[in-house]
Amino acid sequence: MKKFNIRKVLDGLTAVSSSSSATAQPGTPRENDVVQETLQSEHFQLCKTVRHGFPYQPSSMAFDPVQKILAIGTQTGALRLFGRAGVECYCQHESGAAVIQLQFLINEGALVSALADDSIHLWNLRQKIPAILHSLKFNRERITYCHLPFQSKWLYIGTERGNIHIVNVESFTLSGYVIMWNKAIELSTKTHPGPVVHISDNPMDEGKLLIGFECGVVVLWDLKSKKADYRYNYDEAIHSVAWHHEGKQFVCSHSDGTLTTWNVRAPAKAAQIITPHGKQPKDGKKPEPCKPILKVEYKTTRAGDPFMVLSGGLSYDTVGRRACLTVMHGKSTAVLEMDYPIVDFLTLCETPYPNDFQEPYAVVVLLEKDLVVIDLGQIGYPIFENPYPLTIHESPVTCCEYFADCPADLIPALYSVGSRQKRQGYSKKEWPVSGGNWGQNTQSYPEIIITGHADGSIKFWDASALMLQVLYKLKTAKVFERARGKEEKPNTDIVDEDPFAIQTLSWCPESRMLCVAGVSAHVIVYRFSKQEITTEVVQLLEVRMQCEFSDVDSPDPGGDQTPTLPTPGASSSPQESEPPTQPSTGSNSSDGPRDNIPCLQVRSSPLKQSPGYQVELVIQLVWVSGEPPQQITSLAINSSYGLVVFGNSNGLAVVDYLQKTLLLNMSLSELYSPSDPYQRQPRSPRKTRQPSGDAKDNSFTRSRSSSVTSIDRESREAISSFYFCESFPRKGDSLVSPCLLVGTTQGSVMMVALSLPPGGDQRLQQPVGIASCGTMAQLKGGVLTMALLDAAGTLLPPSYEPWYDPNASDEEKEKSRRRRPASPPSSQEGQDTQFAVLCSEKQAKVVAMPSQTRLYKHNITETSFVLRADVVQMAGTNCITCFCANGHIMTLSLPSLRPLLDVNYLPLTDMRIARTFCFSNLGQALYLTSPTEIQRITYSQETCDNLQEMLSELFTPVETPEAPNRGFFKGLFGGGAQSLDREDLFGETASGKASRSLAQHIPGPGSMEGMKGAASGVVGDLARARIALDERGQKLGELEERTAAMMASAESFSKHAHHMMLKYKDKKWYQL
C-alpha cells in the first residue's frame, strides 16, 4: 500500500497524458496495479434488446387472424409487432419513410409493408429478429393502396395515377399484367379518376376485382376478360369500401359523411344512401353534409344483424368534440368517444375467409397516442384491459431511473399495493391479440424502472426478463392544493404549465424510502406502508436558500469566517402542528416584493393515504425578496442516517426527516472555505438586510468551463451530485465515520462530516452534527457521480436501514428496525484503505482515502462531454459507465480506469435522451427513444450472447381453419374462392414481363436466413404442398426443383429442418 505515495509523484509527471493508463494497452491489466482487476474488454458488447411503449406517431395497422399478431407501422418507418402480454418486437425500415400500409401473409409468418417512399418490403417473421427478405422500389408511380387476398401470392398495388400493378410476393417481381386507369373507367369520362383508394376481390369470385377511385367511381374489373363488368358512380369522393361476405353487396364511405350501399348487379343507382350522423330534414331533402367517413367495415353474423363500424362522419356543428368510432348493429347506433384522433381501426373476426359469415368479436382502434380494443360481444361495448406497457407517455416523462438486481420482495410489495389502483369496468374476456411465445428467461434477477412525469406522477415498472409491466403509480400532486387563486398567478415565472413536474428522485430499494424533487423547488419524502392512513396535517418545512453579497451577519459559533465571503441565508421554519399559512412578510401585495412564500400551497385538509407510498415530509424553498427559488439540481436520501440532502445554485440544505428539522443551509462559498470545523445546529431564521444579489439562473444550464472568476463561480455554480458514505472526513483521519460527498457543476468535490446521535429515542431528540471539511478533489467539468471502494476494489454502498412498516405495531418495528452496521476497516497510520471514485463531464479520477492522494486519472473526452455516468456492478466486480453527448458509450475499469468499451452508439439528437439515459447493474441501460417509448440496451457480452433465447417468438405453428363448405352455393356463384388460376393470368407466360424501369428489386438482408427457415417449411409436408400446388395449377416438377435449390442453400440446417418438419405441418409451398 506504500506504492500510493510513489504514484503521487508519477502522476505529477504523467498528468499531461490522456490517462494514467496511457502506456498500457486498453483492456489489459497492468502488473503493478494495487487491485487485481478481473474485468476485460471481452466482457462488454453493446446491442439493443427491446423497445417498450406506444409506437410513436403511428400511421398504419394490420392483424393476422390466425396467428393473432398485431402489427403497427409509424411515420418514422418503425414496425412494432405485438402478441400476447410480454410478446413484443421492434424493427426499423432503413429509409425512415412512413409506413402507409401493412398486409400480413395470413398464417405464413410474413408481412408486407408499403412505405411513403414508394417501396414495398417483405418481412420474415419466422425468426426472432424479423428481417426483410425482398424489397421493391417503384420509380415512376406513387403507391396509394395495397391488397393481398387470403392464401394468394399475388399482391395488388394501386397507385396515384390510378393504375394497378401486381407483384409476386414469392419472388418480389412485377407481373406484366397491369390494369390501366383509362381502361377501367368509361371512355366517355374526360377527367382523371384520381388515385386508387381501394382494391379488393369479390369474396365469392376471385376473378372479379373491385377498384375504388378517389373521385367517387367504383369499378368491378373482370381479371380474365380484362375489362370492366360494372361501374358505380357517386358524386362524392370515396374513402373506403367494404364487402358483404356473400359478394352481392358492398358499402362505400364518402367525404360528405354518407354511406352508399350498392348491389353488384345494379350499378345505375345506390341501393341505399344514409348519413349516420346527419340531421334528417322533415321536408325530405338531403341531410346536411357531415365530416368525411374515413373508413367503414361491414361484418356479418350468422345469428343476427350485421355490424357496420365506421370512423369519422360527425356533423360539422360538433366542433371541439373528440374523435368517435361508430358501431351500427341492427337498429342501434353506438358512438364511442376516443381520447385521441383515430389513425386506423380493424374489426377482428372469427374466420380468415372473406366468403364466410365474419362473426366479429372485437374492434382494435389505433389512436394517435393509444391502442384501444372494444368488445363487440358485451352490452355497452366495454374495452379490454390492455396488457402492454403503452401508458409510459400518459403524462410526458421528465426523469427516469433504472434498478437492476433489486431486493426480491420489492416487486411483489409494489404489485400488491398497485393492484388496488386498477380501474373497473373492463371486458371479462381474454385479450384477443394472443399470438407468439415468450422467450427463455436466462436473467433471474428483478429489475425496476421508475419514471417521473410532468403531472407529478411517478410510475414503478417491473422490467424483469425483457418485459415491462406497470406495478404502482404515485401521484405527488395530491399533497398540494389544486385551486390556484389570482394571487398565485406570478408563480408562473418559475414554472409554466406543469408546476408538479418531477425533476429528480432518490430511491433506496432496501429501505423503500423515496425522495422526489419537483420543478417548483419542492422536495417530498415518502415512506412505504401496506396500511391505509389519514394524515390530518401534512408535515411541512420551508427553507430560505440565498446567496448574499452584501455585508451580513457573521456565522454563529466559533468561526474564523472571512467577513468578505458570502454567507448562507439559513432559514428553517418547521410547521409541524399547523398547516402553512401565507406569511405576512411582503406577501403578494403590490407594496413590496414577494418574499418567504413557497411556489405551491400544501393542502390544509386531511390527506387520505392509500397503501403504498405515503408522505412523510414536504420541504419547500421560498421566494427571497422578489426572486423565485432556484430549481433543485441534486438530491439524495439516506435511511440509515435519517437525512435528506438537496442542492441548487445557491448551496445545499440538509434536512433531518426523522426530527423534521433543517440541519444545514450552506452556500457554496462556505463549503469551499471551511474554518475550524464547527457544529451547526438548527437555528431560527436570520433576516437579510438587503435583497439577494444572486442572478437568476436556469438550473439546466451548466457552465462547462472550469476557469471562471470567483464572482462567476458564485453566480453560476450549482450542486450537481451527492453521495452518502462511511469514510474518512478529513485528510489523514484514522477513523471511519458517516460522511457526505458533494460535487458541483464546476468540478469541485467537497467532504461534509456527519455526527449522528445514538439510535432509539436519542436519535429523535439530539441534533445531528454537521461540519464542512473543504475541497477533496477538483475535476474538469461538472461532477456527475461518486462512489467508494474498499481496499480490495469492492463497492461500499451507502448504509441503509431495512424496511419496516411505519404504521405497524411498535414490536414489529423494533424487529426490523436495526440500522445496518457499516463496517469498513479503520485505517492504520499512513495506510490508505479506500478508493474514492469521482467522475465528471470530462474526466474520471480515483483518490486514495484518507490520504486524498490521486491514484488514477482518465480524460474521458476532450471535444464532447459526458451526459450520464454511473458506477455499476458487472461480472462480479465494478466499473464506470459513461454516455457522451457525441453518442459514445464507454466503460472504465475500477480502480485503474482502463478503457474497456468505447462504442459510437447514438449521437445526442434530443434533450429527452440526455434527461432519461441511465445505466444499471449487470450490463443494463435505457433511455427514452421517443416521447412514448423506452429503448433498452445492454453493454454485457453475456446478455448479447443469450439475446436470441431471451427474445419472444412471433410465429407459432397453427393450423389454418378449414374453408367454409359452400355446397350448392359453390356452383351457383361460379366456383367461389378457388375458381381463379391467378398463375395463368399473372405469370410471365401469360402476361409477359413488366417494364424494368417501373420498379427496382432489392434483395433483403434477411434473404439467406429466410431461405434456410423456409426450406424446413417447404420440405415440411410434401403432400400438403402438392395439394396447394394443384389448387394453383402448378406443375409438381417445379416444386421438386425449387425444394432442391432451397435445400442446397440450407444444407447446414438439415438437422434443424428435420426437427421443424415435425412442427410445421400446415405450411404452404411458397412460404419464405
Side-chain angles (χ1 to χ4, degrees):
M1 299 299 274
K2 300 254 174 154
K3 291 177 188 168
F4 286 168
N5 297 327
I6 299 164
R7 271 208 175 274
K8 186 175 182 184
V9 179
L10 291 174
D11 269 344
L13 296 172
T14 58
V16 291
S17 69
S18 67
S19 89
S20 60
S21 57
T23 53
Q25 284 293 316
T28 59
R30 295 181 302 255
E31 289 177 23
N32 59 347
D33 275 340
V34 177
V35 174
Q36 189 62 43
E37 295 176 4
T38 55
L39 273 184
Q40 307 294 330
S41 52
E42 49 265 28
H43 285 107
F44 296 90
Q45 185 186 339
L46 196 71
C47 69
K48 292 180 179 179
T49 52
V50 286
R51 182 172 290 200
H52 303 295
F54 182 76
Y56 183 56
Q57 294 179 328
S59 54
S60 56
M61 178 171 61
F63 183 70
D64 185 325
V66 180
Q67 285 289 319
K68 303 218 180 296
I69 294 286
L70 183 73
I72 296 175
T74 75
Q75 292 177 28
T76 53
L79 193 58
R80 293 284 300 279
L81 296 133
F82 297 92
R84 67 179 62 185
V87 175
E88 290 183 49
C89 183
Y90 157 75
C91 326
Q92 177 70 45
H93 294 90
E94 271 187 35
S95 68
V99 181
I100 57 172
Q101 205 176 343
L102 294 169
Q103 292 264 296
F104 273 102
L105 277 69
I106 293 172
N107 205 26
E108 310 293 6
L111 176 75
V112 172
S113 58
L115 271 56
D117 64 356
D118 309 307
S119 62
I120 55 169
H121 308 268
L122 179 67
W123 289 86
N124 177 16
L125 308 183
R126 288 173 175 248
Q127 53 199 60
K128 293 223 175 165
I129 301 173
I132 292 175
L133 293 171
H134 300 284
S135 298
L136 199 62
K137 178 84 165 68
F138 280 73
N139 298 322
R140 300 204 306 255
E141 297 207 47
R142 309 223 62 184
I143 298 171
T144 55
Y145 195 87
C146 301
H147 171 61
L148 181 68
F150 179 45
Q151 293 182 323
S152 164
K153 68 170 185 177
W154 298 98
L155 172 72
Y156 300 105
I157 295 179
T159 69
E160 197 172 51
R161 290 186 182 178
N163 304 323
I164 293 177
H165 301 278
I166 300 165
V167 173
N168 182 331
V169 293
E170 180 195 28
S171 60
F172 247 53
T173 53
L174 275 168
S175 164
Y177 191 115
V178 182
I179 303 171
M180 304 299 288
W181 68 270
N182 53 353
K183 299 274 181 71
I185 64 168
E186 289 182 80
L187 296 175
S188 59
T189 308
K190 293 179 180 177
T191 56
H192 189 279
V196 174
V197 295
H198 179 82
I199 307 167
S200 60
D201 42 353
N202 185 320
M204 298 303 291
D205 187 353
E206 291 180 349
K208 311 290 185 184
L209 199 66
L210 196 69
I211 306 163
F213 295 97
E214 189 181 68
C215 69
V217 174
V218 179
V219 175
L220 188 67
W221 181 265
D222 188 313
L223 290 165
K224 286 182 182 174
S225 64
K226 300 184 182 179
K227 64 181 180 63
D229 277 357
Y230 300 105
R231 297 182 179 91
Y232 313 85
N233 290 285
Y234 190 71
D235 55 6
E236 289 291 341
I238 289 177
H239 284 276
S240 73
V241 183
W243 278 102
H244 185 284
H245 83 273
E246 290 177 348
K248 292 188 280 187
Q249 249 186 7
F250 61 88
V251 177
C252 302
S253 75
H254 298 276
S255 57
D256 63 345
T258 56
L259 293 173
T260 55
T261 305
W262 301 82
N263 291 326
V264 169
R265 296 175 184 271
K269 187 182 175 186
Q272 187 185 39
I273 302 173
I274 59 167
T275 310
H277 295 286
K279 292 173 183 172
Q280 298 291 338
K282 292 178 181 176
D283 53 7
K285 291 181 181 176
K286 281 179 89 176
E288 292 175 12
C290 293
K291 294 175 186 175
I293 296 177
L294 301 175
K295 184 174 182 180
V296 64
E297 291 203 340
Y298 191 12
K299 303 296 179 185
T300 52
T301 60
R302 212 172 239 102
D305 294 311
F307 282 87
M308 206 171 282
V309 186
L310 52 111
S311 63
L314 295 179
S315 61
Y316 279 100
D317 59 8
T318 54
V319 178
R321 187 172 175 181
R322 291 190 292 187
C324 292
L325 187 83
T326 306
V327 180
M328 300 166 69
H329 183 227
K331 292 181 179 178
S332 74
T333 299
V335 180
L336 309 175
E337 207 168 67
M338 302 290 153
D339 289 337
Y340 305 101
I342 296 171
V343 175
D344 195 4
F345 73 86
L346 293 169
T347 309
L348 307 189
C349 301
E350 298 288 355
T351 177
Y353 293 93
N355 58 343
D356 194 8
F357 285 99
Q358 298 298 286
E359 305 296 348
Y361 59 89
V363 182
V364 181
V365 190
L366 177 62
L367 308 175
E368 279 186 5
K369 293 184 179 180
D370 201 2
L371 181 74
V372 176
V373 182
I374 296 158
D375 184 354
L376 291 179
Q378 284 187 38
I379 297 167
Y381 303 135
I383 64 169
F384 288 85
E385 184 175 7
N386 197 320
Y388 311 132
L390 302 184
T391 59
I392 291 168
H393 64 288
E394 196 173 25
S395 170
V397 176
T398 51
C399 72
C400 206
E401 293 296 337
Y402 190 4
F403 299 85
D405 206 11
C406 299
D409 58 349
L410 257 181
I411 288 175
L414 287 164
Y415 180 80
S416 69
V417 294
S419 59
R420 306 177 198 192
Q421 298 177 328
K422 289 188 176 176
R423 54 173 279 195
Q424 304 300 311
Y426 288 114
S427 168
K428 293 180 172 55
K429 294 180 189 167
E430 290 291 313
W431 179 252
V433 185
S434 55
N437 281 320
W438 295 333
Q440 295 174 0
N441 179 21
T442 58
Q443 296 176 343
S444 57
Y445 49 86
E447 300 171 72
I448 290 177
I449 293 169
I450 305 179
T451 52
H453 300 264
D455 64 354
S457 61
I458 292 171
K459 289 181 183 173
F460 291 78
W461 305 82
D462 177 4
S464 311
L466 294 187
M467 296 189 190
L468 195 70
Q469 180 185 12
V470 70
L471 290 169
Y472 171 70
K473 180 179 176 180
L474 171 66
K475 295 179 180 176
T476 65
K478 281 186 175 179
V479 176
F480 302 103
E481 298 284 5
R482 281 284 185 172
R484 296 165 68 183
K486 289 180 183 176
E487 71 278 358
E488 296 218 25
K489 286 281 171 69
N491 288 354
T492 54
D493 59 359
I494 179 171
V495 178
D496 290 337
E497 61 225 13
D498 296 313
F500 309 111
I502 306 298
Q503 192 152 6
T504 182
L505 58 89
S506 174
W507 188 51
C508 174
E510 290 80 11
S511 68
R512 304 184 190 173
M513 290 297 299
L514 173 69
C515 188
V516 301
V519 293
S520 296
H522 62 277
V523 173
I524 311 175
V525 181
Y526 287 93
R527 281 189 190 276
F528 186 86
S529 173
K530 293 180 178 178
Q531 299 179 24
E532 184 175 297
I533 58 163
T534 298
T535 306
E536 293 299 324
V537 177
V538 175
Q539 303 274 13
L540 172 67
L541 261 179
E542 289 184 353
V543 179
R544 184 181 176 93
M545 290 182 82
Q546 64 189 88
C547 271
E548 300 168 48
F549 287 92
S550 54
D551 53 343
V552 291
D553 302 335
S554 58
D556 289 351
D560 293 326
Q561 196 77 16
T562 314
T564 54
L565 284 164
T567 56
S571 146
S572 93
S573 46
Q575 300 187 10
E576 298 174 44
S577 56
E578 56 180 6
T581 55
Q582 289 283 8
S584 57
T585 50
S587 182
N588 261 345
S589 58
S590 56
D591 57 349
R594 197 176 164 84
D595 195 46
N596 269 354
I597 297 171
C599 295
L600 298 172
Q601 184 78 26
V602 172
R603 64 183 288 162
S604 52
S605 53
L607 178 64
K608 181 183 173 184
Q609 305 209 64
S610 303
Y613 275 101
Q614 298 172 350
V615 180
E616 173 86 356
L617 177 66
V618 178
I619 307 159
Q620 289 184 286
L621 301 190
V622 296
W623 285 63
V624 178
S625 306
E627 285 289 326
Q630 296 294 302
Q631 289 188 337
I632 291 158
T633 53
S634 191
L635 175 74
I637 189 167
N638 186 284
S639 58
S640 180
Y641 308 154
L643 301 179
V644 167
V645 57
F646 55 92
N648 60 17
S649 57
N650 285 344
L652 87 160
V654 182
V655 169
D656 181 337
Y657 67 77
L658 298 176
Q659 295 186 24
K660 312 289 190 294
T661 54
L662 177 68
L663 297 172
L664 180 77
N665 183 353
M666 186 180 264
S667 70
L668 280 164
S669 58
E670 277 193 311
L671 282 172
Y672 274 110
S673 49
S675 53
D676 294 336
Y678 59 91
Q679 301 269 323
R680 293 183 58 116
Q681 308 297 348
R683 42 180 201 267
S684 59
R686 182 167 352 114
K687 299 288 182 230
T688 60
R689 291 182 184 164
Q690 290 183 0
S692 163
D694 71 306
K696 185 178 175 187
D697 186 30
N698 183 345
S699 61
F700 287 115
T701 313
R702 287 183 177 161
S703 169
R704 310 223 173 266
S705 163
S706 55
S707 56
V708 289
T709 65
S710 58
I711 295 296
D712 210 2
R713 160 174 284 193
E714 293 304 337
S715 61
R716 287 171 177 261
E717 190 168 18
I719 306 285
S720 58
S721 61
F722 291 115
Y723 187 73
F724 282 104
C725 57
E726 308 252 343
S727 187
F728 306 94
R730 295 167 188 83
K731 194 170 182 176
D733 275 3
S734 58
L735 291 175
V736 162
S737 64
C739 298
L740 173 67
L741 284 172
V742 180
T744 77
T745 54
Q746 296 295 347
S748 299
V749 178
M750 276 86 82
M751 182 73 89
V752 176
L754 307 171
S755 173
L756 296 167
D761 291 340
Q762 292 183 356
R763 172 63 186 87
L764 299 175
Q765 290 160 6
Q766 296 180 20
V768 175
I770 301 180
S772 171
C773 303
T775 306
M776 188 185 89
Q778 186 71 39
L779 291 84
K780 289 181 187 172
V783 179
L784 297 176
T785 193
M786 301 175 285
L788 205 63
L789 309 178
D790 66 11
T794 306
L795 191 67
L796 293 170
S799 59
Y800 60 83
E801 182 181 67
W803 176 76
Y804 66 93
D805 197 321
N807 301 319
S809 65
D810 290 341
E811 289 174 21
E812 287 178 42
K813 285 185 192 178
E814 282 308 311
K815 278 182 194 172
S816 57
R817 190 175 178 179
R818 288 188 176 80
R819 190 181 138 203
R820 195 191 74 137
S823 54
S826 61
S827 174
Q828 295 172 14
E829 196 62 41
Q831 284 202 341
D832 289 317
T833 55
Q834 291 182 344
F835 301 103
V837 180
L838 314 170
C839 186
S840 75
E841 296 169 320
K842 291 287 189 181
Q843 60 184 189
K845 287 185 180 180
V846 172
V847 176
M849 301 295 283
S851 69
Q852 299 188 5
T853 309
R854 192 192 77 197
L855 298 177
Y856 304 102
K857 182 182 84 168
H858 178 76
N859 288 340
I860 298 167
T861 175
E862 293 290 343
T863 55
S864 185
F865 55 92
V866 180
L867 290 161
R868 176 79 186 221
D870 289 288
V871 176
V872 296
Q873 293 174 359
M874 176 81 177
T877 182
N878 309 292
C879 63
I880 298 179
T881 52
C882 305
F883 172 54
C884 281
N886 61 8
H888 283 252
I889 289 177
M890 292 175 268
T891 62
L892 304 172
S893 74
L894 285 174
S896 70
L897 303 179
R898 283 178 298 118
L900 296 171
L901 173 77
D902 186 350
V903 178
N904 188 1
Y905 170 69
L906 177 81
L908 181 66
T909 52
D910 197 308
M911 279 308 293
R912 176 186 60 252
I913 297 170
R915 196 173 61 240
T916 57
F917 199 105
C918 46
F919 294 99
S920 191
N921 294 328
L922 306 171
Q924 307 298 332
L926 64 81
Y927 59 93
L928 238 73
T929 185
S930 75
T932 63
E933 296 164 291
I934 284 176
Q935 177 67 55
R936 290 166 72 177
I937 61 174
T938 183
Y939 50 93
S940 157
Q941 177 70 55
E942 185 185 1
T943 306
C944 290
D945 291 344
N946 295 328
L947 188 59
Q948 280 286 340
E949 290 175 31
M950 293 159 66
L951 292 174
S952 50
E953 283 182 289
L954 288 167
F955 180 80
T956 49
V958 180
E959 199 71 42
T960 303
E962 283 190 22
N965 182 12
R966 306 308 299 176
F968 165 73
F969 294 104
K970 187 172 181 180
L972 188 66
F973 289 108
Q978 270 70 43
S979 65
L980 181 72
D981 186 350
R982 291 190 177 98
E983 186 66 30
D984 275 359
L985 279 177
F986 304 145
E988 200 173 303
T989 314
S991 64
K993 288 187 177 181
S995 165
R996 284 190 179 182
S997 61
L998 182 62
Q1000 175 190 0
H1001 177 259
I1002 306 160
S1007 297
M1008 283 308 295
E1009 291 163 63
M1011 290 285 277
K1012 292 164 188 171
S1016 61
V1018 171
V1019 182
D1021 193 350
L1022 258 179
R1024 191 170 176 79
R1026 281 178 175 152
I1027 294 167
L1029 276 170
D1030 290 336
E1031 287 175 359
R1032 290 160 179 77
Q1034 283 265 15
K1035 294 174 185 174
L1036 279 174
E1038 288 175 30
L1039 171 74
E1040 313 284 344
E1041 289 169 23
R1042 185 162 189 79
T1043 304
M1046 293 177 80
M1047 285 304 290
S1049 69
E1051 195 170 344
S1052 61
F1053 279 71
S1054 57
K1055 288 182 183 177
H1056 173 69
H1058 179 72
H1059 169 68
M1060 299 293 272
M1061 179 181 74
L1062 302 175
K1063 286 171 71 180
Y1064 297 165
K1065 286 186 178 283
D1066 60 331
K1067 303 300 157 279
K1068 303 290 185 309
W1069 64 274
Y1070 58 83
Q1071 287 172 338
L1072 285 175

